[in-house]
Amino acid sequence: MAPRQKTNEARRILHSTAIAPTEPLILDAFTSDPAGRILHLVLSKREQGAHVIGLYCGYAPLELIRAIKGIPAFLCASSGKTIAAAEAVLPANLCPLIKSSFGYIRTKSCPFYELSEVVIGETTCDGKKKMFELIAPLKPTHVMDLPYQPVEEGTLARWTDRVRRLKAFLEETFAAEIAAERIEAEIRETNLKCRLMDRVFDYAALDPSALHWSELLDIIAVEPLMGGEEFHRFVSPLLQRLETRAAGGIGFARPGSPRVLVSGCPIGGEAKKVLRIVEEAGGVVVALEGCSGMKGYSIRIDEGTGDPLAAVAAATLKIPCACMTPNRRRFDALDEMIRRFRPHAVIDVILQACHTYNIESWQIERHVQERHGLPFLKIETDYSQSDVEPLRTRIEALLESC
Amino acid sequence: MKGIGLDIGSRTVKLVVCENGVIKMTRKEANTHDPLSLCRDMLCGIEADRIIATGYGRHLLGGYLPCETVSEIKAFARGSQAIHKPCSTVLDIGGQDTKAISLDDKGKIARFQMNDKCAAGTGRFLEVMATALGLSLEDFIEAAASAETAEPVNSMCAVFAESEVISMIARGSSRAGIALGIHQAVARRAVSLLEKVSVREDILFAGGVALNPCMRTQIEEQLGRLVIVPQDPQIVGALGCALMASEE
């Protein structure tokens, strides 16, 4: 890390005036259609014989899914268009992610759900837990009962048992066995991909940041759909292009642009309005802490333990979701991100009715202000566009105070 | 240097002209469905070197004449400092926003909080509640001030609060008591916002709702401290802009 740090420092001095990139980072048939890229990947893997397995969140171990020749398909949950259909059944005062997802399923408009042979859910919150009951009759749905006290005695054993039950479910559904060696091999694949993602993140840490948040989200969307080698082939030219940008001082910031770390609930689809407003207000998004962003990639799975299933369980339990209590790891991970990405402000994005992230936001605020002396803003939003101007007022005020 | 400050709020547009730090003119107009035309009318005949706008309509003028923008937080912080130098905390209750700003010893913004993004507990909320009680805003304030006991109101959403008020009327509660209850509820919300930024004296109470003496009393009672209401609490944001615009 040391030489890279020095290079970054040099770049910062040489290129305080950034030139915006003109060439897209991902040059393929889907450059202007990133959603199409994901669908194409899922469809082509399916044609090669992969089982499409619908997912909600990172607690479902991808190593087991890949070990049974599955392709993980994260289900649509970030558009307001399907919410009206969901509210015919679900209460309006519920997380938009849950309503959106249920609405997609109800209106048969999520291609990934339609393609999925099975769905895996996790009890990350009460809303999802009860929504899974409503979709379970439609398709084989396996719900993993997630324990909430990550450092309590017995929690890991309980979660390992839940991961073992998932393995049994997959083996029974697809009439195949998942050998320990296959899980071990997939652990190595995951770790390789995490290391590659980490190299991508290095370019977001530069000043000016050479990686745009939308490019980051596009790469994150592709990563789970590829094996280690395949992802290496995908990401290598991107790293070269990022290096060219960095060497030429090309980046996404004007001189003096406040760097912003966005934390909190997953941000995708229509919630990306927050990231756009930050940019329109003159800021630059340099880090996405949420589980739809960088958070999960800092976790490595132990290799060669002799019990790969337990290793996978131990690693997934480390995901610092606000459903965990106490959630110390989130604060530690945030410290590390602030050190690495050097933001001037933190914006915590809460999706309406997400109680765990909403309550934890108070502690995050104290932590960010007192430990790091950074301006902080909590935003509570949903997938509608109705609050864009009130959000703009708040974000502009925050960036002025940087 | 002569600068114009414009605060294009949801209910009222405020204009202040400053020259070398001194107020030369103030104008206020109720906002309309066409705020751009209103601003153009208000600017008519005024010459200045620079215009800075704040408020919900701050980005409106940009396409029409050279106009910079600042957030209401910055504008109110600056205006409050100019009106009352020892001010450490600012509360602004406007048409659709409530803000609490804490200033450090140098007058710089230390922390700020804004209400939820809906207009709960703002000036507009009070207007809707007055209508629900069948009173003009003036009579509503007077009724609240005359009430001996308050009828507690819990809802802060204008729609829910209206239903609550209607059922209170149906139960035979006094209008004055309900009006006081509504004032208390709004004050409670403002105080909790203030407490989030930490309250230090002196406290300046600005915005259109600061013109409401009953609200001022309620906030002082719940806060246990006195607040300072400027002579014209509505122009604080526009003044902040005008001062910034009249500086090099």
Side-chain angles (χ1 to χ4, degrees), chain B residues 184 191 216-225:
Chain B
Q184 286 180 350
V191 167
R216 174 189 178 158
T217 312
Q218 287 306 320
I219 287 172
E220 286 181 335
E221 271 180 24
Q222 292 191 28
L223 208 54
R225 299 176 200 235

Short mmCIF file of all heavy atoms in Angstrom, two decimals, chain B residues 184 191 216-225:
data_model
loop_
_atom_site.label_atom_id
_atom_site.label_comp_id
_atom_site.label_asym_id
_atom_site.label_seq_id
_atom_site.Cartn_x
_atom_site.Cartn_y
_atom_site.Cartn_z
N GLN B 184 -48.93 24.25 21.01
CA GLN B 184 -48.00 23.50 21.88
C GLN B 184 -47.31 22.38 21.11
O GLN B 184 -46.13 22.12 21.29
CB GLN B 184 -48.75 22.94 23.08
CG GLN B 184 -49.08 24.02 24.10
CD GLN B 184 -49.82 23.47 25.32
OE1 GLN B 184 -50.25 22.31 25.32
NE2 GLN B 184 -49.99 24.32 26.33
N VAL B 191 -38.79 22.63 19.54
CA VAL B 191 -37.84 22.49 20.65
C VAL B 191 -37.01 21.21 20.49
O VAL B 191 -35.80 21.21 20.73
CB VAL B 191 -38.59 22.55 22.01
CG1 VAL B 191 -37.70 22.10 23.16
CG2 VAL B 191 -39.11 23.97 22.26
N ARG B 216 -44.27 32.09 20.18
CA ARG B 216 -43.06 32.51 20.89
C ARG B 216 -43.15 32.14 22.37
O ARG B 216 -42.22 31.55 22.94
CB ARG B 216 -42.91 34.03 20.72
CG ARG B 216 -41.77 34.59 21.52
CD ARG B 216 -41.81 36.09 21.51
NE ARG B 216 -40.73 36.61 22.33
CZ ARG B 216 -40.25 37.82 22.19
NH1 ARG B 216 -40.71 38.63 21.27
NH2 ARG B 216 -39.27 38.24 22.97
N THR B 217 -44.31 32.42 23.00
CA THR B 217 -44.50 32.10 24.41
C THR B 217 -44.36 30.60 24.65
O THR B 217 -43.71 30.15 25.58
CB THR B 217 -45.90 32.57 24.87
OG1 THR B 217 -46.08 33.90 24.41
CG2 THR B 217 -46.07 32.51 26.36
N GLN B 218 -45.00 29.82 23.77
CA GLN B 218 -44.97 28.36 23.94
C GLN B 218 -43.55 27.81 23.81
O GLN B 218 -43.15 26.93 24.56
CB GLN B 218 -45.89 27.69 22.90
CG GLN B 218 -47.37 27.86 23.19
CD GLN B 218 -47.73 27.39 24.58
OE1 GLN B 218 -47.25 26.37 25.06
NE2 GLN B 218 -48.57 28.15 25.28
N ILE B 219 -42.81 28.33 22.85
CA ILE B 219 -41.44 27.86 22.66
C ILE B 219 -40.59 28.24 23.88
O ILE B 219 -39.83 27.42 24.40
CB ILE B 219 -40.84 28.42 21.34
CG1 ILE B 219 -41.49 27.69 20.17
CG2 ILE B 219 -39.32 28.27 21.30
CD1 ILE B 219 -41.16 28.24 18.81
N GLU B 220 -40.77 29.47 24.36
CA GLU B 220 -40.00 29.90 25.54
C GLU B 220 -40.34 29.04 26.75
O GLU B 220 -39.46 28.64 27.51
CB GLU B 220 -40.28 31.38 25.83
CG GLU B 220 -39.59 32.28 24.82
CD GLU B 220 -39.81 33.77 25.07
OE1 GLU B 220 -40.84 34.12 25.69
OE2 GLU B 220 -38.96 34.56 24.64
N GLU B 221 -41.64 28.73 26.91
CA GLU B 221 -42.04 27.91 28.07
C GLU B 221 -41.44 26.52 27.99
O GLU B 221 -40.91 25.99 28.96
CB GLU B 221 -43.57 27.81 28.14
CG GLU B 221 -44.17 28.95 28.94
CD GLU B 221 -45.68 28.88 29.02
OE1 GLU B 221 -46.25 27.77 28.88
OE2 GLU B 221 -46.31 29.95 29.23
N GLN B 222 -41.51 25.92 26.82
CA GLN B 222 -41.02 24.54 26.68
C GLN B 222 -39.50 24.47 26.71
O GLN B 222 -38.92 23.47 27.12
CB GLN B 222 -41.56 23.92 25.40
CG GLN B 222 -43.06 23.71 25.48
CD GLN B 222 -43.59 22.88 24.35
OE1 GLN B 222 -42.89 22.03 23.80
NE2 GLN B 222 -44.83 23.10 23.98
N LEU B 223 -38.85 25.53 26.25
CA LEU B 223 -37.40 25.56 26.21
C LEU B 223 -36.84 25.97 27.57
O LEU B 223 -35.69 25.64 27.91
CB LEU B 223 -36.98 26.59 25.15
CG LEU B 223 -35.66 26.44 24.41
CD1 LEU B 223 -35.54 25.07 23.77
CD2 LEU B 223 -35.56 27.52 23.33
N GLY B 224 -37.66 26.69 28.35
CA GLY B 224 -37.19 27.21 29.63
C GLY B 224 -36.19 28.34 29.45
O GLY B 224 -35.39 28.62 30.34
N ARG B 225 -36.19 28.95 28.31
CA ARG B 225 -35.28 30.07 28.02
C ARG B 225 -36.02 31.10 27.18
O ARG B 225 -37.01 30.78 26.53
CB ARG B 225 -34.07 29.60 27.21
CG ARG B 225 -33.22 28.57 27.87
CD ARG B 225 -32.15 28.16 26.88
NE ARG B 225 -31.57 26.87 27.20
CZ ARG B 225 -30.27 26.69 27.36
NH1 ARG B 225 -29.44 27.69 27.25
NH2 ARG B 225 -29.80 25.48 27.62
#
